Amino acid sequence: MGTRDCNHICDESSPGIGEAGRTGEWRTLMPVIDDKKCTASKLNKPTCFLCWLYCPEAVITKGIPPLINLEYCKGCGICLQVCPVQAIVMIHEEKIAD
Amino acid sequence: MAIQRKANVHILDGNQAAAIAAMMSRVQVIAAYPITPQTPLTEQLSRYVEQGELQAEYVAVESEHSAMAVCTSASLVGARTFTATSSHGLAYMHEMLHWAAGARLPIVLACVNRAIGAPWNVLNDQQDSISQRDTGWIQIYCRNNQEIMDTIIQAYRIAEQVFVPVMVCYDGYILSHTEMPVDVPIQEEVDRYLPSYQPHTVLDPANPKNYNLVTLANPRVGVDGKLCHGYMELRYLLQEALQNSKEVIVKSGKEFNQLFGRDYANVFWEDRNEDAEITIVAMGSLAMEAIVAADMLREQGIKVGVLGLRVFRPFPKSEVVQALRKSKLIVVFDKNISYGSEGATCSEIKSALYGTYINAAIRNFIVGLGGRDIKARELVEATKKAIASLKETVVNPDYPEWICEI
Ligand code: SF4
Ligand code: SF4
């Protein structure tokens, strides 16, 4: 079965989880949130959630603590850049494997 | 059988004919930037909109690139869209021409053919549209102002069936600024011929979609679990649409004849080609000059016919082969040049004949660049030169000859 059955005449997709494929495979650096520094975790109430807001893949939850879906996190590091209290660090994938 | 109808002849130049045709096609969005020799066409359209004669949005953009970007967006949300340009304007649009075809949008563009710099030249040749050959647009060339009017109306009927944009090309000044009698259809007839545009995609906030985002080479599974086209499959579909469009072009021409009494059920025009031993091939208004040249040659007892190319993309290979089957010599006049090779239509003819039993000699002449006047007499001389060259060799030369004074 070929792709004709999708009946798309030009490129078309619907927003949804994983539309761009498993973007987690692109990652070389993995973001890790330090719950001791994250204000939401520290105060146990909703705070800035800038990481949730800015993540271009929308893979961070607006929860306490904020959680990252590593299946689709592409490792861009934007969350690290926007966190006002430097609660996020990027770690080499291979170091994690060790 | 063609219907009987009263003629409604007006004296119009090519740009006026194009403007009236766009208005009668009930275009809803026009985005254009003025450029010589297209300017009067855009002025006329903006006048129609300002005076309330045409219910359309006229977007006065700051460049041709933006003009095609506006047309692309408007077409995607379901508006019948028109633009016009020439020469450097078309070159500036190049990127967005790809985009319009890739997004499969039935936009119609009038290209008023003009030379490209350097050096600056505002006069006619076909280098501008020929340079856009590979953007995925259908290209149709007009011989006179009646054809401009009729082809623009047909272009919407074609484009909206096959979802491929159509470039209607006509020679700058020779047609754009020359007045001739044009039979103007009545609006009800055009409305009958052109049903309203049904877009293939609809942008709807209640059912959000992404269109033409980054698409990788391989197919991918969409959120609904269906295997969706990769980049290659979408390119294949565009090529397939152009291949299949030939039939739609001919059918739309036939249907046009039924309503308006002018026959366009063809991909090219022929003149006395049935008994011709020599065929002159030309495209656009040059084909009319070639007919005069054929008259002169026939008076001298040389059996000459003319093939006036109308549809350049998709290129009608099998039809060309059929039309040239009796020719012993094919003389191709090109108002364009693929530098380092030959005229674009000559290459197409050669490639169409490859592998067939036709073994005619082919001679290519580059003529009329940058508005250089072409007289029928010169076409006669060139054809005679081509005939004489057969005595020396029938092998086709690698490169074309030029009619100029170098
Ligand atoms: S941006 Fe930093 S502090 Fe704010 S929620 Fe995210 S990790 Fe916590
Ligand atoms: S911002 Fe980038 S690195 Fe951080 S979670 Fe989102 S995708 Fe991963």
Side-chain angles (χ1 to χ4, degrees), chain B residues 139-157:
Chain B
Q139 283 196 356
I140 305 178
Y141 289 77
C142 305
R143 286 191 305 181
N144 55 39
N145 297 353
Q146 184 72 62
E147 282 194 17
I148 296 172
M149 161 127 351
D150 297 348
T151 307
I152 287 177
I153 297 168
Q154 286 167 52
Y156 282 105
R157 187 159 172 108

Side-chain angles (χ1 to χ4, degrees), chain A residues 3-4 8-9 11 13 15 19, chain B residues 200 210 215 220 223 229 240:
Chain A
T3 58
R4 240 186 241 283
H8 298 162
I9 189 161
D11 177 64
S13 60
E19 252 304 282
Chain B
H200 59 72
N210 301 312
T215 304
R220 71 188 158 80
V223 278
H229 308 306
E240 185 182 66

Side-chain angles (χ1 to χ4, degrees), chain A residues 1-21 26, chain B residues 104 163 200 208-213 215 219-220 222-223 227-229 233-234 236-237 240:
Chain A
M1 200 177 77
T3 58
R4 240 186 241 283
D5 295 340
C6 74
N7 285 325
H8 298 162
I9 189 161
C10 63
D11 177 64
E12 180 182 323
S13 60
S14 306
I17 293 168
E19 252 304 282
W26 302 359
Chain B
R104 302 290 302 275
F163 291 114
H200 59 72
K209 297 264 187 203
N210 301 312
Y211 290 112
N212 305 304
L213 293 182
T215 304
R220 71 188 158 80
V223 278
L227 191 67
C228 300
H229 308 306
E233 286 73 20
L234 290 162
Y236 178 95
L237 289 175
E240 185 182 66

Side-chain angles (χ1 to χ4, degrees), chain A residues 19-61:
Chain A
E19 252 304 282
R22 279 211 185 158
T23 40
E25 288 169 4
W26 302 359
R27 198 175 55 235
T28 54
L29 294 170
M30 178 199 275
V32 176
I33 305 176
D34 183 348
D35 292 342
K36 289 195 196 75
K37 287 188 184 162
C38 164
T39 50
S41 302
K42 237 164 66 178
L43 305 173
N44 195 29
K45 63 176 184 187
T47 57
C48 72
F49 291 126
L50 287 178
C51 53
W52 164 82
L53 182 65
Y54 280 90
C55 171
E57 296 300 317
V59 297
I60 307 182
T61 63

Side-chain angles (χ1 to χ4, degrees), chain A residues 31 55-57 59-60 68 72-80 90:
Chain A
C55 171
E57 296 300 317
V59 297
I60 307 182
I68 299 172
Y72 299 110
C73 159
K74 63 184 175 186
C76 65
I78 288 173
C79 49
L80 170 151
M90 301 298 286

